[in-house]
Amino acid sequence: MSDFSGAAAALADDAVGRLIAYARHETPTGDAPALNALADVLEERYRELGARIERVAQGTGDHLVARWGDADAPHVLLLGHHDTVWPTGTLESMPLTEADGVLRGPGVYDMKGGLVVAELAFEVLRRCDAAPARPVRLVVVADEEVGSPTARPLVEAHMAGAVAVLGLESPHPGGALKTARLGSTRVRIEIAGRAAHAALDPESGVSAVDELVDQLLAVREIMASEPTVLCNVGTVDGGGRTNVVPDRAAADIGLRFTDVATQQRVLGALGRLTPVRPGAEVVVRTLTSRPAWSDPADDLLARVAMAGTAVGQEIAGRPAAGGADTNIAGAAGIPTLDGFGPLGGGAHAPDERIETATLPARAALLAAILTTL
């Protein structure tokens, strides 16, 4: 096998520079102009690397599909995203810094570092005069951080014919790959009440806020009997003035599940929530949902570990708590692994960071995998 590790190491400074440039493009989910500005850069880069590009337009930000090789043959599917959880302007309070082999800043770990690993792997293959064993498709989506509501059909379409799916998200601490993921669902509870003057005619009102509080207590009771479920009430909103009985309230809840049966049971219970007080209305909506992906019985991890040995790396894997688009492929039974991004930490946190030396290391691993799968 060609010296993928040496070729990647020679490109290390360029890889860090590209990641810094990508991170300077602040790309919060839903900000279409910001996301599309980075998509323009990625599209040009993938063309330089010999890919055929499809741009999938969306009002909330475009998705990209890059193809190498025969479009009709069985392929390896790479999954990534270019949206982040960080609002525009975060760089002012959380600037990009590089010191002692660590690059810090919003989006470098989740997951622009993974995008750089993928393009660096293709650059390594080109410089080593090597080629993937199968056609490769790379799907980069713009709304992964909110459950891929517009991207899921695109991901599912490119799963068809895939012999393996590799996710470019971050790995476990220490670098272990992710062999399974919890199911992830976002639910919104919406309450309709009746407005009234809070002092002159309170009896005519129905407080949507009070009803929401009671419904969240009911959610807590449901979760008390489901110890394996992770539940986070992420947003609460309602009312507007203290002298008006509020007629609207809502809460968004994030749920994580170990298996599909539990997921269906809990979502069914939430769907049966009923009003506590006369005149209130309760609606429960599923915003996005990814199925639980259980630890598979296939040999993909063993094959990846063999490729790792060829580039001097020891590869391990274990299940992960976070959800991603790889859930969809893994739950569908396609051999799937995630975590090919660089090592680091602080996803969605002020100390987000990567270890810069792991950019070329992960790229060498991915290049080796693509030539052997």
Side-chain angles (χ1 to χ4, degrees), residues 248-309:
R248 297 287 172 184
D252 287 356
I253 302 174
L255 301 160
R256 307 285 177 150
F257 305 95
T258 57
D259 59 87
V260 172
T262 302
Q263 195 164 2
Q264 293 174 340
R265 185 172 61 250
V266 169
L267 294 180
L270 293 176
R272 292 189 294 272
L273 290 173
T274 56
V276 173
R277 51 189 46 73
E281 297 179 6
V282 177
V283 176
V284 179
R285 295 195 297 121
T286 297
L287 303 177
T288 57
S289 186
R290 295 184 176 119
W293 159 31
S294 301
D295 217 342
D298 60 67
D299 66 345
L300 180 58
L301 180 61
R303 294 156 65 195
V304 166
M306 289 179 62
T309 299

Side-chain angles (χ1 to χ4, degrees), residues 50-230:
R52 301 180 305 281
I53 307 299
E54 175 188 359
R55 184 95 169 228
V56 182
Q58 293 289 336
T60 52
D62 295 353
H63 312 307
L64 289 174
V65 180
R67 291 181 174 90
W68 290 265
D70 186 350
D72 297 321
H75 60 278
V76 175
L77 177 60
L78 306 179
L79 293 178
H81 65 90
H82 63 303
D83 62 322
T84 75
V85 300
W86 300 105
T88 300
T90 298
L91 284 172
E92 296 177 9
S93 59
M94 188 178 162
L96 291 161
T97 62
E98 184 185 1
D100 301 323
V102 176
L103 176 64
R104 301 177 184 274
V108 298
Y109 184 64
D110 188 14
M111 62 150 285
K112 291 170 181 174
L115 298 179
V116 170
V117 165
E119 66 175 59
L120 182 56
F122 280 99
E123 184 65 46
V124 165
L125 291 173
R126 183 165 67 174
R127 296 201 175 198
C128 292
D129 197 23
R134 295 182 182 272
V136 180
R137 299 183 195 179
L138 168 61
V139 176
V140 179
V141 310
D143 57 3
E144 191 276 342
E145 291 292 3
V146 293
S148 303
T150 70
R152 179 165 179 167
L154 180 69
V155 171
E156 291 175 330
H158 289 280
M159 282 164 40
V163 299
V165 176
L166 308 178
L168 301 171
E169 295 275 6
S170 56
H172 287 289
L177 298 174
K178 297 175 178 179
T179 60
R181 285 184 176 277
L182 297 182
S184 175
T185 297
R186 295 165 57 242
V187 168
R188 177 169 294 162
I189 300 177
E190 297 175 331
I191 310 295
R194 186 165 57 245
H197 196 292
L200 300 180
D201 192 21
E203 295 81 5
S204 296
V206 178
S207 173
V209 169
D210 286 349
E211 181 68 29
L212 179 59
V213 170
D214 288 334
Q215 294 299 326
L216 292 177
L217 289 174
V219 171
R220 181 177 293 180
E221 290 182 5
I222 293 170
M223 297 307 157
S225 63
E226 299 286 353
T228 66
V229 177
L230 300 178

